[in-house]
């Protein structure tokens, strides 16, 4: 399926900016699940300082910003040919060892609630158990924007019983690790069937199954990713894979506006 | 190549060394009056505090304006950021921060000066010891200045440090004059009268000019001459004009070094030209107090502009 | 247990390296020597060579005591040491390269994976980074102790930001000032060119895209850091800028410092700021000591950071016990310089042994430094041992234990004349496209009679270290 994506992010600064940085992971790579056909990243109001591949192989760029109050605009857009690989996105590659993905991070540290949840995963083959984990999460955490934020941990979201795709992905990663699988967080886009305008970027999780490689699980929608999914960056949690992260020095406040479309 | 933070450190290092020395001179002058004109002592101490810019802070702590309290506050009190001890510590912290920009001798003179004054000012000073201690302060700052002049390369490092010295000195002299500007007004001059001119002497003493004045003016103290001497004389090392001559010069060196002129160059040159083009009569006619207040404001503005132009932080 | 004295061992009589010095010493007036001792202290105080002690109020600046009797090492002894050190340093860098790439040593099962995986010094952000010349740890201090005429052991490796080199240099400078005649009589190999070597070494590992003379700077946490004197000293001696985090930001794809003429690019940063504080955008977000985005510039290959972030994984005390395996794995040879036998309390058998022999052992925290949080069994009271035993039982993997070795002694000058005290040695190693070790190092001495703790924060002093040119 050929998907056309536009992702515009705007930061508006109300006061002069002494200095600020924005780190972008907005450049999808080609792989078994997708081929990047065209992609551009247009930056206005900020300077690109460097680009590099991070420890997980994500194409990363650093922007700097300073000066009078203004708006910076980051527009990522392009076309990606996606394949339905039943969620299997390929064998592990890169220097980051698989064991690294078995370790918890502050956002995915399991607490009693997650341990309890995992105890409910029945016996079965590896993929079957992961599907069962996904189903449990989908059942326990209702999709409800505004109840959690980017700093909410997996455990907190599960206790709350509500959250967004980021929380589903975190709980899944934490649970899969407890089950003994290396697991990672994937950020990207999802084309919802009924609309062009998307509310936000999407996120899901992947677990590494011996022999198969990375297998995706979107607990927010309770399916394995198909050809409506575009993957952009991976990490052990949201913090490591987030599309844009930044630091702002000085008194200015930034106001964020995001506009995303995904269509065929 | 010089870090903006280092330039800032050098500037403040010298401002605080200059300030420590000026404090000692102010107390010295106050002490002289207090010893010889006992009935005016507390007024005089109040003037000293005003000149030091410390009257408000003093009043919060003390109610008696006597030598003991004032000297202690201006020399030892760490709560007073301009006290000799606090100023030396700030100077030394700045020197420590810019250590690599200083010659070993300069650093050692500051470090040793700080250690020795810290030791000397550790306990309240016995009144009888006060003159000895004041001398020691002046000696330590003189040694620092000596090492600095004797060993530092005349480059940007030197220029930024000197800017600090002269901006602080100009501020200090202008304050001393402004606190007593009324005794320098021609309308109430007591020339030849047996009435007291100790105020005039005190002004001159606080800038170490009571002797040199006589060499220059070959006459008794006359208020207009004193004002002229401290404001306009280009050879008197604590006058406003002298200070600005060097401020303008060091800024010019920086402009040459960096091949770049900044707004601070305009401010300094304008002030210097104004001082050079003025007669004391004009100043008195348009208001001595207004002139001094204006000068102090402009001098502060220059300091801020230098900080901005050269990336101080 | 009688310690080996490096000047006058119990049976053998005066050792050869000390003969010339002893000959000179015999003709000195004791009163004059005492006077020289005071002169030395004055020199240090005047120049402001002080260090801050953590946890002591109002002791923000204290002198490290200096002893005027040199510690003397023969040329041939030194050559043997340097071979062992070079081998070790090669292995450390090979280990770091491997750990941040294929991790062959873990795949081969020579070092347990858990040791790396659970270690906070392992920085995932370094995975895949190949620094210029393949050097991760550029400046290393290897702590060495001596037990007998021919037995030297490595006590620990300092591969992060080893300090103390300024004391090595100032100690020599002071000795030259105090006893010029001694240096005419005895040929001592020079250490004074260390700053020059350091500069050359840093220059040689500049990013490959920098042509011409690279701009080098020393990054310090600031003038209130305990080692600030050393940071300023090294910057000054190398003729490079001493910068703080607040001076730096990312400009035009490089890390640049704010000067009186605008921002200027830095190519090589000798940083004395810990990993966690290096980049608030990547590591601790509350750090004001670092440079936001420096890791991005680093991964993009536009700056060399010395030592590289994440080198702590090589000098961790838990890793230390595997150094013999690590050396053999990468160099294919047995270690020339041995390790002190070490019990890893994470292993149940070892823990049992350590608990049963606490009175004979030194127990250290795996991540500790500066002599804090350790137990010196023989010197501890029964109560102290009992309390420590509880801590040990609660977190065994936090500790390692070693036998209390009888460190060699060297004489120091006391009020009652010469008296032996325990010493160790920290030579400083520079790695770039070659390995260089200045002949000498920092000799630390436990000034208290019988004490084995040489750390300056725990009452240790220093000595000038002479390597003879023979």
């Amino acid at each position: 399926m050929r998907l056309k994506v536009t992702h515009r992010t705007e930061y508006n600064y109300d006061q002069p900016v002494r200095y600020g940085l924005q780190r972008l992971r907005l450049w999808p790579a080609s792989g078994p699940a997708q081929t990047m056909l065209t992609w551009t990243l247009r930056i206005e109001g900020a300077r690109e300082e460097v680009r590099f591949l991070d420890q997980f192989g994500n194409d990363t760029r650093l922007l700097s910003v300073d000066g009078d109050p203004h708006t910076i605009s980051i527009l990522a857009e392009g076309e990606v040919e996606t394949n339905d690989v039943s969620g299997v996105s390929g064998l592990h590659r890169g220097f980051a060892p698989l064991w690294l993905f078995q370790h918890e991070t502050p956002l995915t540290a399991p607490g009693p609630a997650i341990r309890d949840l995992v105890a409910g995963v029945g016996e079965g083959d590896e993929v079957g158990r992961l599907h069962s984990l996904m189903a449990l999460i989908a059942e326990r955490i209702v999709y409800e924007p505004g109840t959690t934020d980017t700093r909410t941990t997996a455990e907190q979201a599960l206790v709350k019983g509500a959250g967004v795709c980021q929380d589903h992905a975190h709980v899944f990663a934490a649970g899969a690790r407890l089950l003994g699988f290396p697991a990672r967080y994937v950020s990207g886009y999802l084309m919802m069937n009924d609309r062009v305008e998307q509310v936000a970027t999407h996120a899901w999780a992947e677990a590494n199954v011996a022999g198969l490689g990375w297998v995706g699980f979107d607990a927010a929608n309770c399916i394995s990713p198909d050809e409506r999914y575009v993957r952009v960056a991976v990490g052990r949690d949201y913090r490591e894979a987030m599309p844009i992260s930044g630091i702002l020095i000085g008194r200015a406040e930034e106001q964020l506006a995001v506009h995303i479309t995904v269509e065929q | 190549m010089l870090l903006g933070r280092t330039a800032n450190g050098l500037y403040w290092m010298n401002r605080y060394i200059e300030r420590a020395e000026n404090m000692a001179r102010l107390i010295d002058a106050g002490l002289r009056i207090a010893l010889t004109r006992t009935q005016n002592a507390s007024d005089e101490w109040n003037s000293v505090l005003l000149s030091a810019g410390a009257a408000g802070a003093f009043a919060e702590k003390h109610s008696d304006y006597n030598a003991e309290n004032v000297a202690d506050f201006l020399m030892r009190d760490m709560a007073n950021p301009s006290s000799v001890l606090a100023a030396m510590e700030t100077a030394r912290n700045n020197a420590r921060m810019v250590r690599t920009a200083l010659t070993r001798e300069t650093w050692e003179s500051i470090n040793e000066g700080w250690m020795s004054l810290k030791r000397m000012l550790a306990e309240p000073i016995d009144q009888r010891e006060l003159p000895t201690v004041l001398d020691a302060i002046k000696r330590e700052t003189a040694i620092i200045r000596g090492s600095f002049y004797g060993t530092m390369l005349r480059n940007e490092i030197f220029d930024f440090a000197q800017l600090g010295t002269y901006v602080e000195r100009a501020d200090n002299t202008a304050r001393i004059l402004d606190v007593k500007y009324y005794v320098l007004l021609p309308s109430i001059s007591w020339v030849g009268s047996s009435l007291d001119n100790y105020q005039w002497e005190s002004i001159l003493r606080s800038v170490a000019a009571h002797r040199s004045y006589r060499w220059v003016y070959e006459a008794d103290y006359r208020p207009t001459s004193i004002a002229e001497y401290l404001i306009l004389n280009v050879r008197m090392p604590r006058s406003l004009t002298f200070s600005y001559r060097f401020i303008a010069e060091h800024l010019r060196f920086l402009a040459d070094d960096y091949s770049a002129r900044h707004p601070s160059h305009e401010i300094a040159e304008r002030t210097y030209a104004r001082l050079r083009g003025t007669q004391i009569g004009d100043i008195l006619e348009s208001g001595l107090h207004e002139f001094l207040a204006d000068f102090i404001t402009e001098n502060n503005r220059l300091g801020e502009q230098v900080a901005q132009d050269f990336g101080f932080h | 247990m009688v310690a080996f004295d490096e000047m006058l061992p119990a049976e053998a009589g005066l050792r050869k390296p000390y003969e010339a010095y002893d000959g000179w010493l015999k003709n000195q007036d004791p009163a004059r020597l005492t006077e020289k001792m005071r002169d030395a202290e004055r020199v240090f105080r005047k120049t402001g060579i002080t260090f801050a002690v953590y946890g002591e109020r109002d002791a923000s600046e204290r002198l490290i005591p200096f002893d005027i009797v040199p510690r003397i090492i023969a040329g041939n002894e030194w050559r043997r040491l340097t071979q062992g050190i070079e081998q070790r340093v090669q292995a450390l860098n090979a280990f770091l390269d491997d750990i941040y790439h294929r991790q062959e040593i873990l795949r081969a099962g020579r070092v347990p994976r858990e040791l790396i995986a659970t270690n906070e010094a392992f920085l995932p952000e370094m995975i895949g980074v190949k620094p210029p010349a393949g050097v991760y740890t550029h400046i290393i201090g290897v702590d060495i102790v001596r037990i007998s005429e021919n037995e030297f052991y490595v006590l620990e490796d300092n591969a992060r930001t080893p300090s103390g080199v300024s004391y090595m240099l100032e100690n020599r400078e002071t000795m030259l000032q105090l006893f010029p005649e001694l240096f005419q009589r005895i040929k001592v190999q020079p250490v004074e060119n260390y700053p020059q070597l350091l500069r050359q070494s840093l220059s040689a590992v500049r990013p490959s895209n920098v042509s011409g003379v690279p701009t080098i700077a020393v990054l310090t946490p600031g003038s209130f850091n305990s080692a600030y004197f050393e940071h300023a000293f090294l910057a000054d001696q190398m003729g490079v800028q001493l910068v703080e985090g607040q001076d730096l930001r990312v400009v035009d794809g490089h890390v640049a410092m704010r000067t009186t003429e605008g921002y200027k690019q830095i190519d090589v940063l000798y940083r004395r700021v810990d990993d966690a504080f290096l980049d608030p955008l990547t590591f601790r977000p509350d750090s004001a000591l670092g440079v936001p985005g420096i890791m991005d510039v680093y991964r993009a290959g536009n700056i060399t950071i010395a030592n590289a972030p994440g080198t702590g994984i090589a000098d961790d005390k838990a890793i230390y016990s595997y150094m013999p395996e690590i050396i053999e794995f990468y160099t294919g040879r047995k270690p020339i310089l041995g390790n002190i036998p070490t019990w890893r309390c994470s292993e149940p058998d070892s823990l049992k042994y350590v608990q049963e022999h606490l009175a004979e052992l030194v127990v250290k925290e795996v991540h500790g430094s500066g002599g804090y949080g350790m137990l010196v069994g023989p010197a501890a009271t029964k109560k102290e041992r009992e309390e420590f035993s509880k801590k040990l039982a609660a977190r065994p993997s936090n500790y390692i234990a070693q036998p209390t070795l009888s460190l060699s002694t060297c004489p120091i000058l006391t009020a009652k004349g010469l008296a032996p005290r325990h010493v160790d040695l920290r030579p400083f190693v520079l790695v770039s496209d070659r390995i260089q070790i200045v002949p000498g190092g920092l000799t630390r001495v436990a000034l208290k009679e019988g004490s084995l703790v040489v750390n300056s924060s725990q009452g240790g002093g220093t000595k000038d270290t002479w390597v003879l040119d023979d």
Side-chain angles (χ1 to χ4, degrees):
Chain A
M1 186 182 279
R2 180 175 286 208
L3 295 179
K4 189 172 179 303
V5 178
T6 64
H7 176 190
R8 181 192 299 279
T9 311
E10 286 184 348
Y11 290 96
N12 180 40
Y13 301 100
D14 62 338
Q15 286 184 51
V17 180
R18 215 168 89 207
Y19 184 57
L21 292 173
Q22 300 282 8
R23 187 186 275 164
L24 314 183
R25 291 187 191 88
L26 285 172
W27 196 274
S30 295
Q34 65 186 34
T35 307
M36 192 242 283
L37 301 172
T38 61
W39 199 263
T40 56
L41 198 49
R42 276 221 304 279
I43 315 286
E44 282 167 33
R47 287 176 305 276
E48 179 178 314
E49 297 289 353
V50 288
R51 54 177 79 174
F52 60 97
L53 295 181
D54 73 8
Q55 65 264 34
F56 302 112
N58 301 310
D59 181 308
T60 312
R61 314 199 171 188
L62 184 72
L63 310 184
S64 73
V65 52
D66 60 12
D68 290 334
H70 67 293
T71 299
I72 65 174
S73 140
I74 299 160
L75 175 65
E77 63 179 339
E79 287 186 7
V80 177
E81 180 74 43
T82 57
N83 317 317
D84 188 353
V85 288
S86 315
V88 179
S89 68
L91 295 176
H92 183 62
R93 296 182 56 200
F95 287 121
L98 268 179
W99 58 253
L100 190 62
F101 298 93
Q102 275 174 305
H103 286 270
E104 62 183 56
T105 63
L107 283 174
T108 58
I114 292 178
R115 289 179 201 285
D116 197 45
L117 183 84
V118 168
V121 174
E123 295 299 308
D125 69 353
E126 292 180 317
V127 176
R129 299 180 79 204
L130 289 165
H131 273 289
S132 150
L133 172 67
M134 173 167 73
L136 283 174
I137 295 168
E139 194 183 297
R140 291 279 303 279
I141 302 179
V142 297
Y143 179 78
E144 203 180 323
T147 50
T148 56
D149 62 29
T150 55
R151 282 162 304 185
T152 306
T153 67
E155 180 73 10
Q156 287 166 343
L158 183 58
V159 168
K160 204 168 256 178
V164 295
C165 58
Q166 175 190 317
D167 305 301
H168 291 95
H170 276 159
V171 177
F172 186 90
R177 285 169 193 157
L178 280 182
L179 290 171
F181 297 92
R184 67 187 185 185
Y185 183 102
V186 187
S187 87
Y189 307 104
L190 165 63
M191 183 184 71
M192 307 278 268
N193 289 336
D194 54 344
R195 65 192 87 159
V196 171
E197 309 265 329
Q198 311 297 327
V199 191
T201 56
H202 195 53
W204 60 97
E206 289 182 331
N208 196 279
V209 180
L212 268 181
W214 292 105
V215 184
F217 295 89
D218 179 4
N221 294 300
C222 205
I223 52 165
S224 274
D226 54 28
E227 55 187 358
R228 295 168 304 143
Y229 287 71
V230 176
R231 44 193 300 123
V232 178
V234 297
R236 288 174 300 173
D237 61 15
Y238 167 74
R239 199 179 159 263
E240 291 182 338
M242 61 205 283
I244 304 182
S245 53
I247 196 166
L248 191 60
I249 295 162
R251 272 199 305 271
E253 298 269 341
E254 60 187 17
Q255 211 152 37
L256 170 69
V258 182
H259 182 241
I260 296 168
T261 66
V262 183
E263 59 189 309
Q264 235 179 315
Chain B
M1 217 260 328
L2 192 65
L3 291 176
R5 182 173 51 80
T6 308
N8 186 48
L10 289 159
Y11 174 86
W12 284 104
M13 175 186 87
N14 267 25
R15 274 199 80 155
Y16 275 100
I17 291 165
E18 179 71 20
R19 189 170 299 180
E21 176 178 345
N22 291 339
M23 283 301 145
R25 293 192 190 285
L26 272 174
I27 299 164
D28 211 7
L31 192 63
R32 179 82 183 190
I33 306 288
L35 290 175
T36 52
R37 327 273 160 160
T38 42
Q39 72 276 26
N40 304 101
S42 73
D43 283 350
E44 186 57 26
W45 285 124
N46 192 33
S47 301
V48 166
L49 287 164
L50 283 169
S51 300
F58 179 87
E60 280 174 23
K61 264 189 125 152
H62 303 278
S63 46
D64 282 352
Y65 288 73
N66 56 32
E68 200 177 340
N69 286 346
V70 176
D72 195 77
F73 188 71
L74 293 184
M75 286 177 20
R76 299 182 56 247
D77 201 326
M78 288 304 285
N80 168 17
S82 294
S83 74
V84 171
L85 203 53
M88 279 305 290
E89 185 146 318
T90 308
R92 193 258 184 180
N93 282 343
N94 275 293
R96 198 164 187 265
M97 188 181 79
V98 304
R99 172 68 189 85
T100 51
L102 304 175
T103 57
R104 188 163 181 151
E105 280 180 45
T106 303
W107 157 249
E108 285 178 9
S109 67
I110 295 170
N111 193 39
E112 282 183 85
W114 170 73
M115 284 192 295
S116 125
L117 291 180
K118 207 174 147 111
R119 208 164 36 237
M120 205 176 307
L121 298 173
E123 300 292 325
I125 307 298
D126 187 312
Q127 289 309 292
R128 287 163 301 187
E129 295 299 317
L130 203 46
T132 319
V133 174
L134 291 170
D135 277 351
I137 296 168
K138 285 185 272 182
R139 196 162 49 241
E140 291 298 346
T141 54
I143 291 170
I144 294 170
R145 189 165 44 240
S147 315
F148 186 76
Y149 280 135
T151 62
M152 293 287 292
L153 201 62
R154 264 44 173 185
N155 58 10
E156 55 197 339
I157 292 172
F158 188 81
D159 294 326
F160 283 112
Q162 288 299 87
L163 283 174
T165 301
Y166 288 111
V167 167
E168 178 71 21
R169 188 176 292 180
D171 181 67
N172 181 61
T173 301
R175 277 166 183 281
I176 289 171
L177 285 169
D178 196 34
V179 168
K180 292 197 171 165
Y181 78 93
Y182 48 87
V183 304
L184 297 171
L185 300 179
S187 50
I188 36 168
S189 86
W190 286 287
V191 183
S193 133
S194 60
L195 270 174
D196 225 331
N197 59 9
Y198 74 87
Q199 302 269 22
W200 300 334
E201 192 184 324
S202 144
I203 291 172
L204 287 167
R205 264 185 192 280
S206 16
V207 291
H210 48 294
R211 287 283 156 73
S212 64
Y213 173 89
R214 293 200 197 122
W215 285 93
V216 175
Y217 290 94
E218 297 165 6
D220 286 341
Y221 296 143
R222 281 179 32 216
T224 31
S225 303
I226 293 172
E228 181 187 63
Y229 192 44
L230 265 55
I231 295 171
L232 297 178
N233 192 296
V234 76
R235 295 176 198 281
M236 192 280 161
R238 297 186 170 270
S239 79
L240 306 188
T241 303
F242 184 93
S243 300
Y244 263 78
R245 183 176 133 196
F246 282 96
I247 289 171
E249 187 176 292
H250 287 294
L251 278 169
R252 201 178 63 241
F253 290 157
L254 288 170
D256 291 349
D257 257 20
Y258 296 163
S259 310
R261 276 177 64 86
H262 295 290
S264 50
H265 290 97
E266 309 293 335
I267 298 177
E269 281 159 18
R270 196 171 59 231
T271 305
Y272 183 52
R274 192 165 147 215
L275 288 164
R276 292 294 280 170
T278 305
Q279 306 290 321
I280 193 64
D282 302 339
I283 293 175
L284 293 169
E285 199 176 298
S286 55
L288 178 58
H289 172 63
E290 287 75 7
F291 174 86
L292 290 168
D294 199 31
F295 178 88
I296 291 169
T297 310
E298 277 293 287
N299 190 47
N300 284 337
R301 204 159 78 82
L302 176 71
E304 284 159 19
Q305 192 64 47
V306 165
Q308 201 182 323
D309 291 347
F310 296 99
F312 283 15
H313 66 116
Chain C
M1 201 161 42
V2 178
F4 172 72
D5 191 80
E6 296 188 12
M7 183 167 175
L8 208 61
E11 295 93 44
L14 183 67
R15 284 182 68 246
K16 196 159 182 301
Y18 282 85
E19 277 173 5
Y21 179 76
D22 185 64
W24 171 86
L25 192 65
K26 282 203 173 82
N27 294 316
Q28 301 304 307
D29 171 11
R32 178 170 171 267
L33 287 179
T34 314
E35 182 54 36
K36 288 282 182 190
M37 201 83 190
R38 274 198 291 274
D39 287 350
E41 195 183 318
R42 261 197 296 279
V43 172
F44 283 112
R45 184 137 343 244
K46 195 170 74 166
T47 48
I49 305 178
T50 57
F51 72 104
V53 185
Y54 294 109
E56 272 187 43
R57 226 155 45 85
D58 205 36
S60 61
E61 288 176 23
R62 242 178 50 184
L63 282 183
I64 297 187
F66 172 72
D67 177 68
I68 58 169
V69 182
R71 195 258 187 95
I72 307 177
I73 297 170
N76 59 352
E77 291 177 319
W78 179 252
R79 277 187 291 279
R80 234 186 75 211
L81 279 180
T82 54
Q83 283 170 2
I85 295 168
E86 279 191 27
Q87 181 195 38
R88 204 166 173 99
V89 163
Q90 274 173 353
L92 286 171
N93 272 302
F95 176 69
L96 285 163
D97 186 71
D98 187 27
I99 284 301
Y100 289 119
H101 291 89
R102 293 234 345 126
Q103 306 192 326
E104 299 288 359
I105 199 165
L106 304 190
R107 291 171 200 249
R110 301 290 279 274
V111 169
R113 194 181 83 192
E114 278 311 297
L115 210 58
I116 307 297
T118 58
N119 203 313
E120 279 178 22
F122 174 77
L123 290 189
E125 288 79 1
M126 281 298 292
I127 292 170
V129 173
K130 196 88 170 173
V135 183
Y136 292 79
T137 176
H138 307 76
I139 298 129
I140 304 150
V142 182
D143 290 351
I144 293 174
V145 296
R146 182 172 203 171
I147 308 301
S148 70
E149 181 69 48
N150 288 311
E151 279 178 287
F152 292 89
Y153 290 107
V154 173
L155 193 61
E156 65 181 41
D157 304 288
N158 295 277
R160 304 171 202 215
T161 52
S163 61
V165 77
S166 58
Y167 295 101
M168 171 185 86
L169 296 166
E170 284 291 316
N171 288 353
R172 176 61 53 82
E173 198 56 39
T174 305
M175 287 297 277
L176 282 164
Q177 273 183 41
L178 296 179
F179 307 110
E181 74 276 16
L182 253 177
F183 289 87
Q184 281 165 3
R185 271 172 176 247
I186 305 173
K187 282 244 169 301
V188 178
Q189 297 191 40
V191 295
E192 329 34 322
N193 58 346
Y194 177 84
Q196 220 176 315
L197 294 177
L198 176 59
R199 187 176 173 150
Q200 285 165 3
S201 189
L202 292 171
S203 187
V205 292
R206 64 183 173 272
S208 54
N209 56 16
V210 175
S211 54
V213 181
T215 303
I216 301 169
V218 177
L219 175 66
T220 173
S223 61
F224 295 101
N225 182 270
S226 62
Y228 178 74
F229 162 76
E230 175 158 302
H231 309 158
F233 178 89
L234 287 174
D236 191 31
Q237 296 273 315
M238 282 195 285
V240 305
Q241 292 292 329
L242 178 67
V243 298
E244 295 180 17
Q246 51 167 314
D247 299 320
L248 307 180
R249 65 163 65 164
V250 178
V251 178
D252 296 335
H254 292 86
V255 171
M257 54 187 156
R258 187 174 177 183
T259 79
T260 50
E261 296 170 273
Y263 279 94
K264 190 168 188 310
Q265 174 182 329
I266 292 174
D267 303 310
V268 182
L269 191 63
Y270 176 22
R271 52 93 180 209
R272 298 292 295 260
V273 169
D274 291 345
D275 287 352
F277 297 94
L278 196 56
D279 181 353
L281 184 62
T282 306
F283 307 118
R284 278 180 66 153
D286 58 338
S287 168
L289 306 175
V291 189
I294 189 174
M295 282 304 288
D296 300 48
V297 176
Y298 185 60
R299 283 197 77 102
N302 288 352
I303 190 168
T304 298
I305 302 176
N307 293 346
T311 50
I313 195 66
D315 73 3
D316 188 90
K317 289 195 179 67
I319 301 291
Y320 164 85
S321 63
Y322 288 94
M323 270 314 282
E325 287 93 331
I326 289 172
I327 291 171
E328 214 177 325
F329 186 76
Y330 296 109
T331 69
R333 288 159 197 271
K334 293 271 179 216
I336 300 170
L337 271 177
N339 255 23
I340 294 172
T342 302
W343 288 272
R344 297 184 271 261
C345 300
S346 55
E347 297 166 5
D349 289 352
S350 300
L351 177 65
K352 185 160 174 281
Y353 178 88
V354 172
Q355 290 283 30
E356 284 164 6
H357 296 83
L358 264 189
E360 301 151 33
L361 300 172
V362 180
V363 191
K364 297 176 181 173
E365 277 186 36
V366 171
H367 305 292
S369 72
Y372 293 103
M374 65 190 265
L375 177 88
V376 181
T381 63
K382 190 152 179 280
K383 186 155 167 277
E384 282 168 339
R385 284 201 297 270
E386 276 165 7
E387 272 165 23
F388 202 91
S389 171
K390 281 182 212 143
K391 283 205 291 188
L392 190 55
R395 289 187 65 196
S397 65
N398 199 32
Y399 298 94
I400 56 158
Q402 293 168 338
T404 45
L405 296 179
S406 179
L407 307 192
S408 62
T409 56
C410 262
I412 66 165
L413 186 69
T414 70
K416 292 179 207 147
L418 294 189
R421 292 291 186 273
H422 295 290
V423 291
D424 78 351
L425 175 66
R426 176 179 291 183
F428 294 94
V429 190
L430 296 173
V431 190
S432 56
D433 46 358
R434 73 197 82 167
I435 297 175
Q436 299 177 92
I437 309 170
V438 282
L442 180 66
T443 290
R444 298 186 298 178
V445 51
L447 295 173
K448 256 204 327 227
E449 191 173 351
S451 168
L452 290 166
V453 186
V454 297
N455 303 75
S456 55
S457 48
Q458 309 266 303
T462 68
K463 282 170 166 293
D464 190 16
T465 310
W466 292 3
V467 174
L468 299 182
D469 194 3
D470 57 9

